[in-house]
Structure formats: C-alpha cells, structure tokens
C-alpha cells in the first residue's frame, strides 16, 4: 500500500469513528425510560422545589410577626413589661414576681369574693403571692463589714430562717415554743433573753412582753389554720452596721387563713389574719461583740396586724369570727394590710399589743 493510500485509510477511519454509535450511560437510559412512560423528568439533586422561595416566605412571616410585636409594645408598653418580669398585678391568677425592691403603691383591687375552705385566699392580693419561705426574697451576697461574700450569704440565709421560724413554723403557729428561732438569737443579749423568758411563760403578757411582737401564734382550741399554706411577700436587705457588723433588715407580710376550731363544715367561716413584721438583725464581729457562732443580735422589731384581736394581749392572735368584729378606737385611722409601700406606723396601725387598732380597708 502506497503512502497516499495509507493516509486516506487513516482519515476515513477517524471520520467513521466520530459517527459510530456510543453506549448510553445508565442515567441516560433511565431518563429515556421515564420520558417514554410519560412520567416526566426524574428528581435529582438539581430538581425538586426551589429552596430560595421557601427562605423568602420564612423572612416574610418573621417580618410580619416582628412588626406586630413592635405595634403591641408601642400601644401597651406597661403591660408588655409586666409579661416579662412576671408582675402583671396578679391578674387571671398569674403569680407576682419576687419583691426585689420597695413597692411604690398598694396592690390593685381584687373582686369581692368571700374566702372559703377550698379557696382561702380568693378575693385577696395574697392569692397571687408565693407560698411560705418562697415569698421572702434574699439578695445576692457581697463582702460587707467583717464578712466575706460566703459569710454574708450564710447570714442572709439564717436571717430568712429566723423569719420562717417565727412566722411559718407549724408548731409555733400552734402555740409551741419557738425553739429554732431562739437558737438563732445571741444568748449574751440579756434584754432579749429576758423578753423571751417573760413572754413565753406569761398567760397575760404586758404589751411590751407580748410574744406576738416576734412570733405568730394561735390557740389550737380556738383557731385552726385552713390548709398548710401561708402566703408571704417581702424581702431582706443588708448593709454594714456598727463595729463592722452585717445588719440585715427583714420586711415580710404573712397572710394566715383561719377558721374556728372544730368547725369543719363546707360553709365554715374563713378569716384572714394578716401580719407584717420588720425585724433588724445584727450579725456581729466576734472580735468586737460577745456572741456565739451562728447567732445574731436583735436591733429592733415592729409589727402590724389585721384580724388578730384588739383587746388586751393574750400572747395569741384572736381572729374575729362571727359577729366579734374588730372595733377600732378611732374611725379616722385606716390601714390597707396589703400595702407594703409605706413603713409600719406603730402609732397609727393595728399593733400586736392590742392598742390603737385601726380600721382595715380590706382583708
């Protein structure tokens, strides 16, 4: 074969190869089969619902919700703030947020509903208060006076324990000796120890030695608590006191639902005895004051009560059941027992001594 013929053969071979049939791929065969069967284009990683329109719709919904939220904030700012801090005034049964600062005004009015054995707090702001010790706010601790943060934290915890032992201990409420509370008092503070000896042993205490000045007590043969819940609201504060002591102030209101002893009928009368106490405690530096570990000295105490009795002190609360309603000495003196925005005024309020009773605007 000449060179010319060989070159022509090669050119024709290449030309023929370009038009030769090619084996289709597996995907090409699948596409062809679906097209023949009329099922349309198969789904693959490049097919399906487009993702971008979905994202756009999500942004539209988000923007709409955000716009509505801004509109609500603009129209009802106070209500929105209440939703987030939990303080909505207790409407619709919602609990109040913990009391972290002194309130500026009294709680709002509640529906005039009579308390019952099943709902002893209804018709009262206390229905939205916390139960027991949970209603006493304890602040965060920082180094103060002679104490480091851990010691201040312990002093605050023990101060709340004292308020629990004096106002919530079920045995003390039944008139038993307040052993836990006494254990927290400095045994070397002679005037307080003398008060305890006299107040807890006398059957007819004098106003200045009335145990109700520090302890909540009912005569079990006359009065029984309704259920096992006492509503509370209050807080602790602290500062550096004399000689580097840590001075803790407790301001707490207790609401006790009670009924006459022995009356267990469904329609038994329920009365709420409301007690507010302010107690100042000094956790002294043992290098400056004679004291014992884990005890404090009492600096001052004040008490205000409603539905606890206005006659001569007996050492126990005497709720006014039936027609025995409290008779105020002066109709001009009125007090809202749920108002924590004002300090206790022992000159005008209903004190635990039984004198100078005022008219409670609600109970």
């Amino acid at each position: 074969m000449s060179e010319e013929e060989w070159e022509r053969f090669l050119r024709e071979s290449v030309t023929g190869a370009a038009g030769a049939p090619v084996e289709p791929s597996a995907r090409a065969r699948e596409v062809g089969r679906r097209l023949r069967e009329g099922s349309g284009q198969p789904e693959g990683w490049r097919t399906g619902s487009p993702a971008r329109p979905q994202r756009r719709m999500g942004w539209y919904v988000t923007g709409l919700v955000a716009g509505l939220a801004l509109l609500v904030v603009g129209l009802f700012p106070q209500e929105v703030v209440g939703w987030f801090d939990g303080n909505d005034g207790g409407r619709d049964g919602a609990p109040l947020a913990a009391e972290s600062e002194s309130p500026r005004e009294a709680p709002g009015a509640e529906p005039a509903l009579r308390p019952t054995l099943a709902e002893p707090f209804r018709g009262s702001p206390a229905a939205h208060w916390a139960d027991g010790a949970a209603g006493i706010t304890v602040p965060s601790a920082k180094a103060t006076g002679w104490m480091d943060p851990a010691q201040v934290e312990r002093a605050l915890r023990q101060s709340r324990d004292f308020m629990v032992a004096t106002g919530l201990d079920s045995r003390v409420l039944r008139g038993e000796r307040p052993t836990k509370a006494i254990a927290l008092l400095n045994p070397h503070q002679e005037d307080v120890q003398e008060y305890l000896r006299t107040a807890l042993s006398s059957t007819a205490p004098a106003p200045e030695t009335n145990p109700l000045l520090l302890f909540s007590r009912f005569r079990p043969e006359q009065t029984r608590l309704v259920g096992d819940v006492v509503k509370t609201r209050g807080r602790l504060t602290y500062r550096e006191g004399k000689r580097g002591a840590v001075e803790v102030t407790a301001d707490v209101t207790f609401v006790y639902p009670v009924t006459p002893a022995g009356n267990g009928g469904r329609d038994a009368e329920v009365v709420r005895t409301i007690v507010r106490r302010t107690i100042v405690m000094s956790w002294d530096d043992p290098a400056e004051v004679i004291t014992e570990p884990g005890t404090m000295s009492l600096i001052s105490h004040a008490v205000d009560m409603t539905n606890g009795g206005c006659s001569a002190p007996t050492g126990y609360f005497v709720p006014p059941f039936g027609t025995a309603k409290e008779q105020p000495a002066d109709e001009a003196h009125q007090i809202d027992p749920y108002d924590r925005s004002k300090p206790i005024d022992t000159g005008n309020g209903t004190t635990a001594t039984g004198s100078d009773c005022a008219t409670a605007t609600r109970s």
Side-chain angles (χ1 to χ4, degrees), residues 76 92 96 112 121 137 141 227 236 271 311:
F76 310 103
D92 301 326
L96 287 175
F121 299 103
T137 304
L236 304 182
V271 168
S311 58

Side-chain angles (χ1 to χ4, degrees), residues 71-139:
L71 178 62
V72 171
V73 171
L75 294 176
F76 310 103
Q78 298 300 325
E79 284 78 359
V80 172
V81 171
W83 296 344
F84 286 95
D85 66 10
N87 187 2
D88 69 345
R91 291 169 297 183
D92 301 326
L96 287 175
E99 186 178 283
S100 58
E101 59 183 16
S102 180
R104 294 185 293 272
E105 58 185 6
E110 295 287 328
L113 299 174
R114 184 176 65 88
T116 65
L117 294 176
E119 297 181 88
F121 299 103
R122 75 171 187 165
S124 158
H128 315 293
W129 292 5
D131 299 351
I136 306 174
T137 304
V138 179

Side-chain angles (χ1 to χ4, degrees), residues 19 37 41 54 62 98 104 124 148 167 181 190 195 241 262 273 296 324 334 342 351:
E37 294 176 355
Q41 185 178 3
Q54 291 177 344
T62 302
R104 294 185 293 272
S124 158
D148 61 28
E190 187 54 38
Y195 159 78
T273 295
M296 52 77 178
Q334 293 189 339
K342 304 179 180 66
T351 67

Side-chain angles (χ1 to χ4, degrees), residues 174-196:
R174 293 193 301 267
E176 297 183 21
R177 186 174 178 82
T179 305
K180 293 181 180 179
I182 293 174
L184 291 169
L185 294 171
N186 181 0
H188 303 287
Q189 191 178 8
E190 187 54 38
D191 57 339
V192 173
Q193 295 301 316
E194 178 61 27
Y195 159 78
L196 293 173

Side-chain angles (χ1 to χ4, degrees), residues 241-262:
K242 295 180 179 179
R243 295 181 291 275
V246 175
E247 185 177 295
V248 179
T249 299
D251 183 351
V252 183
T253 301
F254 304 84
V255 182
Y256 306 99
V258 292
T259 192

Side-chain angles (χ1 to χ4, degrees), residues 46-350:
R46 294 182 182 273
T47 63
S49 301
R52 187 176 299 278
Q54 291 177 344
R55 288 196 296 269
R56 287 178 177 173
M57 180 59 72
W59 283 113
Y60 295 154
V61 173
T62 302
L64 178 61
V65 172
L68 290 174
L70 291 175
L71 178 62
V72 171
V73 171
L75 294 176
F76 310 103
Q78 298 300 325
E79 284 78 359
V80 172
V81 171
W83 296 344
F84 286 95
D85 66 10
N87 187 2
D88 69 345
R91 291 169 297 183
D92 301 326
L96 287 175
E99 186 178 283
S100 58
E101 59 183 16
S102 180
R104 294 185 293 272
E105 58 185 6
E110 295 287 328
L113 299 174
R114 184 176 65 88
T116 65
L117 294 176
E119 297 181 88
F121 299 103
R122 75 171 187 165
S124 158
H128 315 293
W129 292 5
D131 299 351
I136 306 174
T137 304
V138 179
S140 57
K142 60 181 180 180
T144 303
W146 72 280
M147 290 185 171
D148 61 28
Q151 291 171 311
V152 172
E153 182 179 9
R154 183 163 54 252
L156 291 171
R157 185 176 63 251
Q158 291 177 309
S159 297
R160 184 174 69 171
D161 289 345
F162 183 78
M163 300 305 293
V164 170
T166 58
L168 295 172
D169 189 307
S170 59
R171 291 170 297 183
V172 176
L173 293 177
R174 293 193 301 267
E176 297 183 21
R177 186 174 178 82
T179 305
K180 293 181 180 179
I182 293 174
L184 291 169
L185 294 171
N186 181 0
H188 303 287
Q189 191 178 8
E190 187 54 38
D191 57 339
V192 173
Q193 295 301 316
E194 178 61 27
Y195 159 78
L196 293 173
R197 285 190 292 269
T198 304
L200 298 176
S201 62
S202 176
T203 57
E208 62 274 11
T209 59
N210 191 347
L212 296 182
L213 295 173
L214 281 182
F215 312 106
S216 293
R217 310 165 83 218
F218 297 89
R219 288 189 185 276
E221 63 272 19
Q222 296 177 348
T223 306
R224 70 177 178 88
L225 287 167
V226 177
D228 56 1
V229 172
V230 174
K231 292 290 188 176
T232 61
R233 186 157 184 82
R235 64 193 180 103
L236 304 182
T237 57
Y238 68 97
R239 65 177 186 176
E240 182 175 350
K242 295 180 179 179
R243 295 181 291 275
V246 175
E247 185 177 295
V248 179
T249 299
D251 183 351
V252 183
T253 301
F254 304 84
V255 182
Y256 306 99
V258 292
T259 192
N263 189 350
R266 293 178 57 185
D267 296 327
E269 181 182 10
V270 176
V271 168
R272 288 184 286 256
T273 295
I274 306 162
V275 181
R276 180 183 176 190
R277 283 198 175 89
T278 300
I279 298 179
V280 182
M281 299 161 267
S282 179
W283 296 89
D284 300 310
D285 182 353
E288 299 289 339
V289 176
I290 300 175
T291 185
E292 296 295 329
T295 68
M296 52 77 178
S297 301
L298 281 180
I299 296 179
S300 66
H301 51 80
V303 63
D304 208 350
M305 74 174 183
T306 298
N307 286 339
C310 277
S311 58
T314 64
Y316 300 90
F317 292 131
V318 184
F321 297 121
T323 59
K325 301 302 180 184
E326 292 184 343
Q327 299 299 321
D330 186 345
E331 291 289 345
H333 290 166
Q334 293 189 339
I335 184 173
D336 179 355
Y338 297 102
D339 185 0
R340 296 182 41 77
S341 65
K342 304 179 180 66
I344 293 178
D345 184 354
T346 56
N348 294 325
T350 307

